[in-house]
Amino acid sequence: LQLRLDPPGPYGVGVHQVQLIAFDGAFADTCITQITVEDTAPPAIFCPGNIIVENDSGLCGATVMFSVGATDNCPSVSKSIIPSSGTFFPIGTTTVECIATDQSGLKDTCKFTVTVNDMPAAIYRLNADTLQFSSIKLGPLPDSEIVTVENIGRCGNIDIAVTESAA
């Protein structure tokens, strides 16, 4: 006995109407039936490791590029990545959430973090009688004092310390 399907497979996900043909060498018979193909395997998504970068020059954050991959046993896997590669990330740590979805609605997820460090500016040490910062005035300062101005970061606060100078 020989069996044949018309049209022959393979068949994609979904319901397909086919003709089943049975032939025993002398006689043949046919019937119409349905073949249902289901996708039960979720896609796989691949996140990079956590990313640590310095802020872009003069900015309070950085534009960060990365790659997220996804595969599936069926074609047409889509990816949702929030925030996406090429986004401007602010100073601090941001979690990136990634979802792969296949045509059957099955999903896989992964997460990673992007940390943007506020690159510290220089430390300034100077001798001065009076210092003026915007609306803040320090002084008069004794001659024996050294003023240290340290910018913790381009996007952070400025720390000012007045210390005795080494004689």
Side-chain angles (χ1 to χ4, degrees), residues 117-131:
N117 291 324
D118 188 6
M119 191 169 85
I123 296 173
Y124 302 96
R125 296 181 194 280
L126 53 105
N127 290 320
D129 291 335
T130 304
L131 295 176

Side-chain angles (χ1 to χ4, degrees), residues 3-13 16-20 35 37:
L3 295 175
R4 187 177 63 139
L5 294 175
D6 186 32
Y11 306 99
V13 173
H16 306 275
Q17 187 169 324
V18 296
Q19 182 179 30
L20 178 61
I35 294 178
V37 178

Side-chain angles (χ1 to χ4, degrees), residues 58-78:
L59 300 175
C60 293
T63 300
V64 180
M65 305 297 288
F66 51 82
S67 179
V68 175
T71 62
D72 192 43
N73 61 334
C74 296
S76 299
V77 62
S78 64

Side-chain angles (χ1 to χ4, degrees), residues 24-94:
D24 68 1
F27 299 99
D29 199 5
T30 64
C31 69
I32 303 295
T33 189
Q34 289 184 342
I35 294 178
T36 302
V37 178
E38 295 179 346
D39 177 15
T40 59
I45 192 161
F46 310 100
C47 282
N50 294 334
I51 299 170
I52 300 173
V53 298
E54 299 292 332
N55 60 306
D56 292 343
S57 180
L59 300 175
C60 293
T63 300
V64 180
M65 305 297 288
F66 51 82
S67 179
V68 175
T71 62
D72 192 43
N73 61 334
C74 296
S76 299
V77 62
S78 64
K79 296 183 288 187
S80 170
I81 303 165
I82 300 173
S84 62
S85 178
T87 295
F88 184 81
F89 288 81
I91 299 294
T93 300
T94 303

